[in-house]
Amino acid sequence: LVWVIAMVKIKTCVFISGQGTNLKNLILKSRDCSFPVKINLVISDNKSAKGLNYAQKYKIPFLLINTKKKNYENKVLNHLKKNKIYLICLAGYMKIIPKRIINNFKGKIINIHPSLLPKFKGLNTFSRMLKNKEIKAGCTVHFVDEKLDSGNVIVKKMFYINNSDDEKILKKKTQKLEYKAYPEAIIKIFKNY
Ligand code: GRF
């Protein structure tokens, strides 16, 4: 029975640029036979991304891409096709996804962002939150469209900021929520699949 369920898992590719702790979390969650996706491919634009170690450790094929190369998206699309990828999860991927990839994967690309969107789109979320004297922080999993950090929200999780929280602590607290939010969002998307 486990084998049969594993066969129908959604083939998923995770895009990373850095630490890859969300990648690791998704890999571990996907080992649960009731979790709807399997991570079949990892794509990184950074050859020194620490997250690539998780791809290696868990024997997941990975692809390094050079986003400075003209038409690099063809290589990406070929690999996605070859691996029969259905869902793309961005997890700390620091580049803009080209229009051609978005058009080929309409409604099938999701991202996790370390703020309560629509607040604090873009980079340096924690320093801007502190500067703004925000009361709440959190994370958002959303669909990716052509505008930055703007697609429909799937899951949002928040916590109250303490006076003593600095950027480092905010990041730690946010990431703890991210490890719950990303799997929850994936389960929500595929609950009627
Ligand atoms: C996460 O905080 C995510 O919200 C942001 O980038 C960070 C990636 O962390 N988009 P990691 O690489 O998964 O550890």
Side-chain angles (χ1 to χ4, degrees), residues 30-187:
S30 70
R31 292 174 147 195
D32 180 343
C33 67
S34 68
F35 194 67
V37 311
K38 178 172 184 217
I39 314 301
N40 296 78
L41 182 65
V42 173
I43 292 182
S44 172
D45 66 316
N46 171 11
K47 65 175 185 325
S48 318
K50 280 202 177 149
L52 287 170
N53 296 332
Y54 298 122
Q56 261 160 338
K57 180 171 176 194
Y58 296 106
K59 302 194 169 35
I60 297 167
F62 63 87
L63 174 70
L64 282 176
I65 54 171
N66 180 355
T67 56
K68 289 194 189 104
K69 266 197 181 159
K70 213 177 145 205
N71 296 328
Y72 76 91
E73 61 261 44
N74 290 336
K75 188 178 170 185
V76 173
L77 282 168
N78 282 339
H79 270 77
L80 294 171
K81 224 186 233 167
K82 209 169 85 188
N83 287 278
K84 299 191 168 64
I85 298 300
Y86 181 88
L87 177 74
I88 294 174
C89 295
L90 309 181
Y93 183 66
M94 301 306 284
K95 297 277 162 55
I96 299 285
I97 299 289
K99 259 188 201 163
R100 272 198 62 210
I101 298 181
I102 294 183
N103 288 338
N104 272 270
F105 280 82
K106 278 226 163 86
K108 293 170 184 162
I109 308 178
I110 60 178
N111 180 43
I112 188 151
H113 184 77
S115 79
L116 298 167
L117 289 175
K119 281 187 152 187
F120 304 103
K121 295 175 184 180
L123 298 175
N124 307 317
T125 51
F126 305 123
S127 61
R128 287 187 286 141
M129 276 175 209
L130 291 173
K131 212 168 153 195
N132 246 36
K133 302 204 180 320
E134 289 295 310
I135 295 166
K136 299 181 214 169
C139 66
T140 309
V141 183
H142 64 94
F143 286 105
V144 171
D145 61 17
E146 280 178 23
K147 282 176 266 144
L148 183 74
D149 301 329
S150 294
N152 286 343
V153 169
I154 308 158
V155 165
K156 217 187 268 197
K157 284 195 183 286
M158 76 84 138
F159 63 91
Y160 288 99
I161 299 175
N162 284 337
N163 284 337
S164 55
D165 287 354
D166 57 13
E167 278 183 49
K168 214 174 143 194
I169 295 173
L170 282 185
K171 183 175 175 179
K172 212 171 166 188
K173 288 182 176 174
T174 302
Q175 289 215 305
K176 207 172 156 199
L177 282 189
E178 289 185 344
Y179 306 146
K180 289 193 182 130
Y182 221 157
E184 249 179 64
I186 291 172
I187 289 168

